[in-house]
Amino acid sequence: MAKASKRGKRYTDQERKDILEFISSRGHGGIKAASKKWGVSYVAIRNWQSDKPRGQVGRPKGTYRATKVVAGASPKTAKRVKALAKSLRDIRKQLDKMQTLVNSLT
């Protein structure tokens, strides 16, 4: 008997495309039907449906959720951390714009 892999089954891009087309043609209940038909987990299919690049898990590198950082903190502290996280996102957007401008000048 073959030794079980530590990783789950890998699906080719064509298999993923076929499964997602099947789901969209079925409408409501399509994920469950595809899960039974192909043996793919519900979570895997939902991940395929998202806009994330292949292999990306969770949030993009360099970002975080303020709620995770402040788990168990007081409401006042949580609110402050969320506000700071928003400020940081805004500053990063401004920095990206400035870097684009500098790159266009060189």
Side-chain angles (χ1 to χ4, degrees), residues 8 10 16 23 30 34 39 47 53 55 65 69 77 80-81 96-97 103:
R10 300 296 179 230
R16 289 174 187 226
I23 291 167
N47 285 338
R65 262 190 122 133
V69 173
T77 303
R80 179 73 178 135
V81 170
D96 288 341
K97 287 179 184 178
N103 289 338

Side-chain angles (χ1 to χ4, degrees), residues 19-35 42 45-46 49:
I19 292 169
L20 292 174
E21 285 176 0
F22 173 82
I23 291 167
S24 63
S25 70
R26 292 286 300 244
H28 184 71
I31 295 177
K32 185 175 181 180
S35 182
Y42 179 90
I45 294 171
R46 292 296 293 174
Q49 289 179 322

Side-chain angles (χ1 to χ4, degrees), residues 30-86:
I31 295 177
K32 185 175 181 180
S35 182
K36 283 185 176 183
K37 183 174 180 177
W38 280 283
V40 182
S41 75
Y42 179 90
V43 173
I45 294 171
R46 292 296 293 174
N47 285 338
W48 296 348
Q49 289 179 322
S50 73
D51 293 330
K52 295 177 187 173
R54 191 169 177 187
Q56 178 181 327
V57 178
R59 300 175 69 79
K61 186 176 180 181
T63 63
Y64 64 92
R65 262 190 122 133
T67 53
K68 287 185 180 180
V69 173
V70 295
S74 70
K76 184 177 179 181
T77 303
K79 187 175 181 179
R80 179 73 178 135
V81 170
K82 287 180 184 181
L84 290 170
K86 184 184 181 319

